[in-house]
Amino acid sequence: SRLLTRRFFCARRRNILEIFNTVKDMQDKANRLREQGKRIAFVPTMGYFHEGHLDLMREGRKRGDYLVISIFVNPTQFGPAEDLDKYPRDFERDRTLAEEVGVDAIFFPDNEGMYPPRYQTYVDVEGVTKNLCGAARQGHFRGVATVCTKLFNIVKPHVTVFGKKDFQQLVTIRTMIRDLNMDIDVIGMPTTREHDGLAMSSRNVYLSEEERESALSLSRSLFLAKKMFEAGETDAGKVLAEVTRYIESYPHTRIDYAKISCVDTIEEAQHVGVDTFIALAVKVGKTRLIDNHVFGEVLDIPYPEGR
């Protein structure tokens, strides 16, 4: 009978998944939930889900009474030469996957709903966005901070869940929430990886078979940096030199940046310690991939010896 009850519960949850396309409808629902004393958990996404997204949703399911996700490919965080139009999209696939992990609602607005005519207000988080992707992708974090502020005002969550794969983004959101006195808990979740260590990303679908093998240079070089630190190496320059050499030993790779920075300020560090992390952005073919590792934390990936 317990199994039958579980099956009924899962079926009922799938049947009651709600989809909101307008800001007003989503805000009205959030207001009703708060009036009922419900705790709202929220996972913002750009869709085309992989297991990493689903892990964030599973955590959100644990953290709230009502789990909302958003699917919105945010144009303000893409540069003019970036892949906005080519970014993969498949709403029906995403809806099915969201149902399976127990999502209660999807906020799925269009561009005009989020950025109506004469839109002119943006959010800038300054210091922590200057380095890494902030330097490489001008305006990117202004777009991220703006859309997240809007989403928080629309969904009205008590808790939001982000992945640590984009560590700078996580720090940016935490800084913004602190500075603007937003009453939201931020949960950072470990990077979800493929069986061979590659960080899961919606952009992985762009990789050819040969490029997919070269993409492993990111996670494997992080493992190399981790082993050097555990062996006593604290000179950031020496660690980065080995990481660079390793990545460049693979075909189709072009390093955008490889840096060691402080976890709180994102400023570059000269010495490696548990208050620092190594961050990578590498073009593999035409696909830009990112990955990172906070020194002192677990990095459980297979690593081939002898390369």
Side-chain angles (χ1 to χ4, degrees), residues 51-102:
E51 197 64 26
H53 293 110
L54 302 182
D55 280 347
L56 301 184
M57 295 175 206
R58 292 181 185 109
E59 185 65 22
R61 179 72 276 159
K62 299 174 188 175
R63 299 273 180 168
D65 302 307
Y66 191 90
L67 173 59
V68 182
I69 66 169
S70 62
I71 299 177
F72 180 63
V73 182
N74 176 38
T76 65
Q77 69 189 68
F78 287 79
E82 294 182 337
D83 60 348
L84 173 61
D85 292 337
K86 294 181 179 179
Y87 196 87
R89 297 164 171 86
D90 189 338
F91 179 79
E92 286 306 314
R93 171 183 173 275
D94 289 344
R95 180 188 59 78
T96 299
L97 292 172
E99 284 181 322
E100 290 175 355
V101 295

Side-chain angles (χ1 to χ4, degrees), residues 23 26-27 30 42-46 68-72 74 77 107-109 114-115 143-157 160 162 184:
V23 170
M26 186 70 252
Q27 285 179 322
F42 176 48
V43 180
T45 85
M46 293 203 299
V68 182
I69 66 169
S70 62
I71 299 177
F72 180 63
N74 176 38
Q77 69 189 68
F107 178 50
F108 184 51
M114 292 295 285
Y115 298 104
V144 169
T146 298
V147 77
C148 285
T149 298
K150 290 174 67 64
L151 289 169
F152 294 156
N153 286 332
I154 295 165
V155 177
K156 306 185 180 185
T160 185
F162 283 79
I184 305 172

